[in-house]
Amino acid sequence: MKNLYFLRSMFLSALAAMAITACSDSDEGGNDGEGPGGGETPAPASSLTVNEKAEAQTFTYDMKATKEALAIDASGDWTLTCDDEEAPTWCTPDITEGKSGKSTLTFDVKVPLLPTKANYTLALKDDAEVNVKIVVEQMPKGVWIGLSKESLEFPATGGTEEVTVYAYNLPDVHVIYANGKNVGKQFVMDPNWQTAELVSGQTVTITTKAYDAGRPNAEYEFCVAVDYDSNPLTSVVLPMTQLAE
């Protein structure tokens, strides 16, 4: 009988030792950061949002200057790049890169000569596949006209310049009128500014004669305007200067 008790005690002691060893192995596995089944715990997914949205975003303005502040929330460091061939001068960001976490990106938006858009990509530095497309657009909501150049400057010897007239949201039944201020006989315009009826996309050629020596710089204006229905006159003025010798 004593032998039977002895064998039973030895058997129970062996089972207890096996249980303790199994618990110890389990604890060590947990300290190594292994997940269920012995695998490693997966890293958190990369994320990037603009104004709490992960999809592409477009900001449109009615040919007005403004500052647009965007709320950035990124899981890692990020960078901003312009997707256009040339970076626009009318739409500039205050920063082009940032750290993980929350930050603010502000665009300084000015009024361009003509309606246009700027395209940017905000992306994580270590994972470019995680990105948000940003489009900043200047587009008139109502009737609007513009010129391809902001001003013209001619030498004293004379010369020729071209400027293209554009119109947006203008009904086909209306025409654009051109006139001048203090133009006199110094400038010749084709078509003639005194009788011109222009269409959107038409180019006006402006030629100036040689300027008399000893005279001060000549200042002129070329005005393009449209009067549509009963709405106020919409116009744009092109300053022109001819330098003295």
Side-chain angles (χ1 to χ4, degrees):
M1 183 65 71
K2 290 183 179 180
N3 290 337
L4 180 60
Y5 285 134
F6 176 76
L7 292 176
R8 183 178 179 183
S9 298
M10 290 293 293
F11 179 71
L12 292 175
S13 297
L15 287 177
M18 291 175 62
I20 293 173
T21 302
C23 290
S24 176
D25 290 343
S26 176
D27 290 342
E28 290 178 0
N31 292 335
D32 288 342
E34 294 181 353
E40 294 184 357
T41 302
S46 299
S47 63
L48 178 64
T49 62
V50 176
N51 292 346
E52 300 183 348
K53 297 180 181 179
E55 63 268 19
Q57 301 199 37
T58 299
F59 303 89
T60 303
Y61 308 100
D62 185 18
M63 299 302 287
K64 295 180 180 179
T66 186
K67 290 185 182 293
E68 184 69 46
L70 309 182
I72 311 300
D73 192 355
S75 62
D77 294 353
W78 56 266
T79 183
L80 178 74
T81 57
C82 181
D83 300 330
D84 301 322
E85 291 185 5
E86 295 184 5
T89 57
W90 62 271
C91 178
T92 55
D94 62 338
I95 55 176
T96 56
E97 60 182 18
K99 299 293 185 180
S100 61
K102 298 181 183 295
S103 56
T104 301
L105 166 65
T106 302
F107 282 98
D108 184 6
V109 183
K110 297 181 174 63
V111 180
L113 283 177
L114 300 172
T116 185
K117 64 176 63 176
N119 301 279
Y120 294 89
T121 297
L122 186 76
L124 294 182
K125 286 185 176 181
D126 58 358
D127 191 354
E129 295 298 320
V130 180
N131 62 73
V132 177
K133 298 291 184 180
I134 300 173
V135 178
V136 181
E137 182 180 48
Q138 284 278 23
M139 184 61 61
K141 295 180 180 179
V143 173
W144 185 90
I145 59 176
L147 301 172
S148 60
K149 296 181 180 178
E150 190 172 10
S151 62
L152 294 180
E153 185 176 279
F154 297 89
T157 54
T160 299
E161 293 281 353
E162 291 185 341
V163 58
T164 303
V165 180
Y166 296 95
Y168 294 80
N169 305 320
L170 185 66
D172 294 336
V173 295
H174 297 288
V175 294
I176 305 171
Y177 297 94
N179 58 36
K181 177 182 179 182
N182 300 326
V183 175
K185 298 180 180 180
Q186 188 67 23
F187 290 87
V188 177
M189 301 184 186
D190 183 20
N192 189 314
W193 63 269
Q194 293 176 314
T195 59
E197 293 184 355
L198 311 174
V199 296
S200 183
Q202 184 170 347
T203 298
V204 177
T205 302
I206 303 174
T207 303
T208 182
K209 305 174 184 177
Y211 202 54
D212 295 339
R215 296 177 61 184
N217 294 344
E219 303 289 341
Y220 301 95
E221 289 183 351
F222 171 53
C223 178
V224 178
V226 56
D227 192 2
Y228 58 101
D229 299 335
S230 59
N231 294 293
L233 181 71
T234 299
S235 63
V236 60
V237 174
L238 176 72
M240 301 186 298
T241 302
Q242 186 166 11
L243 303 178
E245 292 184 340

